[in-house]
Amino acid sequence: MKRKLLSLVLCVTLVASMAVGCGKKNNNSATKDTNSTETATNETKTDDTKETDDTTTDTTTTDTSSSELAYKGTINIMHFSTSEEAQGNGGSDGFRTMNQQWADAHKDIKLEQNVLANDEYKSKIATLAGANDLPDVFLLQGMNTKAWADQGLILDMTDIINTSPYAAQYDLSKFYPFQYDGKTYGLPALCEGSCAIVAYDSELWKAAGFDAFPTTWDEIVSAKAFFDDKKVTEVAFGNRDKWNMNSCFLSTVGDRFTGSDWYHSIIEKTGAKFTDQAFVDSLKFTQEIFQAGVFNKDFNAITNEDAREYYIDGSAAAVIGGNWDISYIGATLKESDPELYARTKFAVIPQPAGASGSTNTHNTGMGYAVAINAKVADDPDKLAACIDLAYKLTGSDFSTYVAENYALSALTKVDSVDMSKFDQFTTDFYNFYQNPGCEIYDSFLTGAVWDVLNTDLQTMVNGEIDPETVAANAQKAYEENY
Amino acid sequence: MLSSIRPKKRVVFFYLLIPVLIYVFSVFVPLATAFYYSFFNWKGGPNKTFNGLENYITLIKDINFWSAFGHNIYLVIACIIGQIGLAFIFVLMINSRYTKLKGIHRTFGFFPSTIAAVSIGFIWSMIYDYKRGLLNWLLDLIGKGDSAKVWLNEPKLVMLLIAIPLIWQFIGYYMVIILSAISSIDQEIFEVSEIDGANAFQRAIYIVLPLIKNTLLVCVTLCIAGNMKAFDHIYVMTSGGPGRSSMVMALYGYKVSFGQQNMGYGSAISIGIFVLSLIVILGSQKLITYFSKDKEVA
């Protein structure tokens, strides 16, 4: 009898726990009350008075968030600054440090962090958005702004930004990818990054006859014989994951052909088309140069992580990647190969022949912003805490930390950075940002356009599809989805 | 006698309740909700608009989906031949009286099917790697260095190259099933056939095959079902690339749903996969039954 009773109890417990698990998800999916935003904003405004300027190293202490918040529950935050990512990466390190400082200053609030690698983060956050189950605070990618704002998933942060204690110091141009219909939906996070940086071995290129990295692709092609003799790849690139060719190559090369007005017109839907001749020319150039043999043969089969390893192990004379790749290369070479570390210099992508839209540009910006789930507005106290956290993650503490430790800039401007304490690698990287910027294509529009274009690009550089068809498919996806 | 040890109906009911509930929640509920969402223009989030059969009309016209379906069929055919065919041959070899250390052969044969598909993907990516891969190294070693290729960037070869790890992984799985079927055949039949002068090939074709026909039918069904939902190791190895050269239906559905955030159409693709899988499985069963009946009559 006892055994029967026990098995019955176990069965009921198991079934009950399943039912609870399944029903747990939407405990606060009630109505959205966006009016409560304002009230909460006023509450948080009082937090700014104790700002301190003596934030110098990673032991930075902060007062920004030390004031009492009424909320005493849990805040979920999801981001991609993993501990591995933070190695040498100022933005990630700063983000993690600010999170920790905020959690330490608010012991009575439980800050639950869900940290994933970037690729997994993008998949998971899209899944959660689809299920209307976003975390309280998360990183919003520019291209999702319009769709998620239309769905009412993300909080309109316009007033929160205007009344921020750091409002006067914000670099307003950074908000562009996160603005839609006159409203702003996020505080640009992490650091200003470039997606198209050439890191090269200056000695090797000097031996090839170039005192600095070539400024035209024709020169790169002419140097091919030299590097072939040395059995060294001229330029390493990885496009297995398909987004790389768009983010780290075409965004810049496209700008060189079309100029920045063309892409602004695409974003604002004022007449430009992917089928415009200048953009098609940039695709033609992309196809030609990737078939010219100056890149590693396996560029379509390896990731950007593999490509940067080719540079690190000396089998490539240069690599094209984003600032995240440069951070990794710097951190690794500093330990493993200080000589190559010292020889490494930076350049913008060379100018394609026939491109007259712009010169020396590199696609740069802040691709992610700290955003708040619209549902949080139902609880003004919780919203106040989330806003406080968002200020902390993007405010002057963060900017000072990354400026002083990594010579990087972020949303909140820092008066001046003492460059004397940094080595040549970091100084050169800092100076690279003096080159003119252009937009990062996939910080805008929608994933539906980029998924089509990125897939076609991979096929195109294999010569299986022509640039005109790629442009037509992108235009079709653009018209249907944006 | 039997009724005295048979558990009471309500005990049986409770024991069954848990797996049935898990099955319902993990299979039927998602399927039913996907069917419901497939009638909406839904980009994720709370807002969606009913658009009737529009998603299904798009699906029928979507050449990318049908190309992915073609790749699944390629995988099914390659794996029926590669997995079940090779498993059958290996089992006959292991069962031969000349084979030593049968247990070791069985264990090592089965071992790959215990490895996660993602790990299999990584292992074979390393084998196919252009610079450091085993395959190109081997070609170089035998003096065929010129034949070295960026294997996973070959649109015409990539489906075969991703089928090979799948075949390798599951040969052992089908070996175990076929082995148990063969071991249930009366040994006397083999002995008699040997006395009559049947060679190994004749024994395999005229004795073993007809006697394990039903088991093979189960194997074929499992193989089709498994390959119609192929996803993991392709995601790891090529992400469907280069371009869409190795795109399969499940991966396409995933990319549409989460990459393009088109949940409504993604749901329609899921239902499309379900319906096509049913048609292929039922069709193949009918086909096998038809041909085997025909043979029996003859």
Side-chain angles (χ1 to χ4, degrees):
Chain A
M1 186 63 200
K2 266 185 185 173
R3 200 175 292 170
K4 274 183 185 172
L5 193 68
L6 184 68
S7 60
L8 190 69
V9 168
L10 283 173
C11 283
V12 171
T13 314
L14 197 66
V15 173
S17 64
M18 276 172 62
V20 169
C22 294
K24 202 179 172 184
K25 202 167 74 178
N26 289 328
N27 56 358
N28 62 348
S29 61
T31 53
K32 290 183 291 296
D33 179 14
T34 43
N35 293 335
S36 57
T37 312
E38 216 167 293
T39 324
T41 310
N42 291 338
E43 284 174 26
T44 26
K45 269 177 73 178
T46 56
D47 291 343
D48 61 18
T49 47
K50 299 172 194 167
E51 184 63 14
T52 175
D53 284 331
D54 58 351
T55 46
T56 47
T57 63
D58 55 350
T59 52
T60 310
T61 52
T62 178
D63 290 339
T64 319
S65 317
S66 61
S67 63
E68 282 300 310
L69 290 164
Y71 184 67
K72 305 289 176 217
T74 303
I75 289 178
N76 299 305
I77 181 169
M78 200 165 137
H79 61 89
F80 52 83
S81 292
T82 59
S83 53
E84 293 83 9
E85 179 81 15
Q87 299 297 319
N89 184 329
S92 295
D93 178 24
F95 196 86
R96 286 176 71 85
T97 307
M98 293 305 119
N99 255 319
Q100 190 56 50
Q101 285 181 4
W102 193 87
D104 290 344
H106 300 94
K107 298 274 188 202
D108 43 4
I109 297 176
K110 192 177 173 196
L111 186 65
E112 274 187 359
Q113 299 192 48
N114 190 354
V115 193
L116 300 158
N118 184 274
D119 271 354
E120 284 75 32
Y121 175 84
K122 284 192 272 196
S123 299
K124 183 156 185 184
I125 204 77
T127 312
L128 293 173
N132 192 16
D133 196 25
L134 284 166
D136 301 325
V137 180
F138 59 96
L139 290 173
L140 169 72
Q141 202 176 2
M143 69 165 148
N144 292 324
T145 307
K146 181 176 180 285
W148 293 4
D150 276 340
Q151 290 285 337
L153 295 169
I154 44 178
L155 190 74
D156 169 15
M157 292 176 74
T158 315
D159 291 335
I160 295 166
I161 291 159
N162 290 339
T163 53
S164 161
Y166 313 109
Q169 295 158 265
Y170 285 155
D171 179 350
L172 297 178
S173 66
K174 301 288 183 285
F175 287 99
Y176 187 38
F178 313 101
Q179 288 171 328
Y180 167 61
D181 214 10
K183 295 170 184 164
T184 308
Y185 290 90
L187 279 158
L190 305 171
C191 293
E192 177 170 18
S194 173
C195 299
I197 307 162
V198 182
Y200 66 100
D201 181 341
S202 55
E203 289 295 317
L204 212 46
W205 282 90
K206 201 171 188 175
F210 297 94
D211 286 338
F213 194 73
T215 51
T216 67
W217 282 100
D218 290 342
E219 288 173 298
I220 302 264
V221 174
S222 71
K224 185 176 177 313
F226 173 84
F227 288 103
D228 282 351
D229 276 352
K230 282 191 164 301
K231 294 196 184 314
V232 169
T233 300
E234 264 189 284
V235 186
F237 193 76
N239 185 45
R240 200 212 75 148
D241 295 331
K242 297 180 184 146
W243 57 266
N244 314 72
M245 195 157 292
N246 182 346
S247 286
C248 304
F249 192 84
L250 187 65
S251 278
T252 290
V253 166
D255 184 74
R256 301 284 180 82
F257 277 90
T258 64
S260 293
D261 290 345
W262 176 83
Y263 194 57
H264 289 145
S265 173
I266 288 273
I267 296 166
E268 281 143 28
K269 295 170 92 171
T270 52
K273 289 180 174 173
F274 283 97
T275 48
D276 290 343
Q277 193 54 46
F279 183 71
V280 175
D281 287 345
S282 73
L283 292 175
K284 280 181 182 165
F285 168 76
T286 303
Q287 187 181 44
E288 282 164 16
I289 201 67
F290 273 92
Q291 291 180 343
V294 295
F295 290 95
N296 45 308
K297 266 189 182 174
D298 54 353
F299 62 82
N300 253 351
I302 63 164
T303 63
N304 61 307
E305 286 91 353
D306 299 322
R308 66 196 186 193
E309 292 297 343
Y310 285 2
Y311 180 74
I312 289 168
D313 70 16
S315 58
V319 60
I320 297 179
N323 60 289
W324 53 92
D325 293 312
I326 305 303
S327 305
Y328 177 85
I329 288 169
T332 310
L333 287 181
K334 205 172 182 177
E335 296 291 322
S336 66
D337 191 347
E339 288 176 10
L340 181 56
Y341 180 77
R343 296 198 304 267
T344 299
K345 304 282 176 199
F346 308 104
V348 291
I349 287 181
Q351 189 73 0
S356 55
S358 65
T359 48
N360 289 332
T361 49
H362 64 115
N363 53 323
T364 180
M366 297 179 76
Y368 289 87
V370 174
I372 297 174
N373 185 341
K375 290 177 191 169
V376 175
D378 295 340
D379 181 346
D381 287 343
K382 186 175 186 178
L383 178 61
C386 290
I387 293 168
D388 192 62
L389 174 61
Y391 285 159
K392 174 74 182 175
L393 293 171
T394 58
S396 72
D397 279 357
F398 176 81
S399 291
T400 309
Y401 182 89
V402 295
E404 297 200 344
N405 292 294
Y406 295 93
L408 294 169
S409 60
L411 172 68
T412 309
K413 290 177 194 161
V414 176
D415 288 340
S416 62
V417 183
D418 175 17
M419 292 302 296
S420 61
K421 65 177 180 178
F422 293 112
D423 59 17
Q424 197 57 45
F425 184 98
T426 312
T427 309
D428 288 345
F429 192 32
Y430 177 82
N431 290 334
F432 171 85
Y433 283 94
Q434 306 310 313
N435 289 302
C438 61
E439 303 297 353
I440 303 166
Y441 280 174
D442 57 8
S443 280
F444 301 89
L445 309 191
T446 159
V449 175
W450 302 126
D451 194 52
V452 170
L453 180 66
N454 296 354
T455 306
D456 280 351
L457 279 176
Q458 201 180 45
T459 316
M460 183 189 83
V461 290
N462 273 346
E464 304 269 315
I465 182 174
D466 59 71
E468 287 81 4
T469 312
V470 175
N473 290 345
Q475 180 62 23
K476 186 169 173 275
Y478 170 71
E479 285 167 9
E480 285 174 358
N481 297 289
Y482 185 67
Chain B
M1 174 65 189
L2 198 63
S3 60
S4 63
I5 56 163
R6 183 185 289 164
K8 284 182 183 157
K9 274 185 180 170
R10 69 162 188 269
V11 176
V12 174
F13 174 76
F14 271 112
Y15 278 137
L16 281 178
L17 184 66
I18 297 161
V20 165
L21 273 179
I22 292 171
Y23 187 69
V24 166
F25 272 95
S26 61
V27 177
F28 279 98
V29 172
L31 198 64
T33 46
F35 184 65
Y36 171 73
Y37 291 137
S38 68
F39 297 106
F40 289 87
N41 178 15
W42 181 38
K43 307 283 183 192
N47 307 332
K48 45 185 167 291
T49 45
F50 183 76
N51 66 358
L53 292 172
E54 205 176 292
N55 285 333
Y56 288 100
I57 294 166
T58 312
L59 187 69
I60 288 166
K61 293 178 187 165
D62 187 349
I63 50 166
N64 292 329
F65 175 75
W66 292 107
S67 138
F69 173 65
H71 292 150
N72 276 99
I73 295 296
Y74 179 95
L75 274 187
V76 165
I77 294 169
C79 288
I80 287 177
I81 297 168
Q83 290 173 349
I84 304 175
L86 287 179
F88 181 68
I89 294 168
F90 287 164
V91 166
L92 293 180
M93 285 163 70
I94 288 173
N95 259 1
S96 155
R97 75 168 82 106
Y98 304 110
T99 308
K100 306 276 180 246
L101 305 169
K102 291 181 181 180
I104 289 180
H105 288 299
R106 276 197 296 264
T107 311
F108 279 94
F110 187 70
F111 179 66
S113 50
T114 61
I115 306 173
V118 173
S119 309
I120 297 274
F122 280 123
I123 292 169
W124 282 84
S125 295
M126 284 188 245
I127 291 173
Y128 293 139
D129 188 84
Y130 177 67
K131 283 202 171 181
R132 304 176 180 92
L134 208 62
L135 188 53
N136 282 347
W137 173 79
L138 208 63
L139 285 170
D140 204 34
L141 202 70
I142 58 169
K144 296 271 182 192
D146 294 345
S147 310
K149 283 187 170 66
V150 182
W151 295 103
L152 295 178
N153 192 34
E154 291 287 327
K156 290 185 176 66
L157 284 178
V158 71
M159 278 310 296
L160 175 67
L161 295 170
I162 59 168
I164 290 170
L166 260 184
I167 293 169
W168 174 74
Q169 185 182 9
F170 287 109
I171 284 179
Y173 177 71
Y174 292 107
M175 266 171 65
V176 170
I177 299 176
I178 295 170
L179 204 62
S180 63
I182 290 181
S183 58
S184 67
I185 299 174
D186 195 340
Q187 287 298 314
E188 281 179 13
I189 300 175
F190 293 114
E191 284 161 16
V192 169
S193 66
E194 265 187 74
I195 293 166
D196 286 348
N199 62 26
F201 180 76
Q202 286 168 325
R203 284 202 301 276
I205 299 296
Y206 298 112
I207 298 174
V208 180
L209 264 185
L211 287 174
I212 63 162
K213 194 185 76 189
N214 288 335
T215 308
L216 285 180
L217 197 64
V218 172
C219 287
V220 169
T221 310
L222 285 173
C223 190
I224 295 171
N227 288 302
M228 292 304 273
K229 61 182 174 59
F231 178 91
D232 335 41
H233 86 291
I234 302 175
Y235 181 78
V236 171
M237 289 175 76
T238 63
S239 270
R244 296 183 186 85
S245 304
S246 60
M247 189 67 78
V248 285
M249 289 189 293
L251 192 54
Y252 184 61
Y254 170 79
K255 286 197 177 275
V256 167
S257 301
F258 302 111
Q260 302 185 12
Q261 288 182 38
N262 195 345
M263 301 289 183
Y265 185 49
S267 301
I269 291 173
S270 307
I271 298 299
I273 296 171
F274 176 69
V275 172
L276 285 173
S277 301
L278 274 186
I279 291 171
V280 173
I281 290 169
L282 293 178
S284 64
Q285 282 184 345
K286 291 269 178 217
L287 217 63
I288 292 168
T289 321
Y290 174 78
F291 278 115
S292 49
K293 259 187 192 167
D294 210 33
K295 214 173 179 182
E296 275 165 26
V297 172

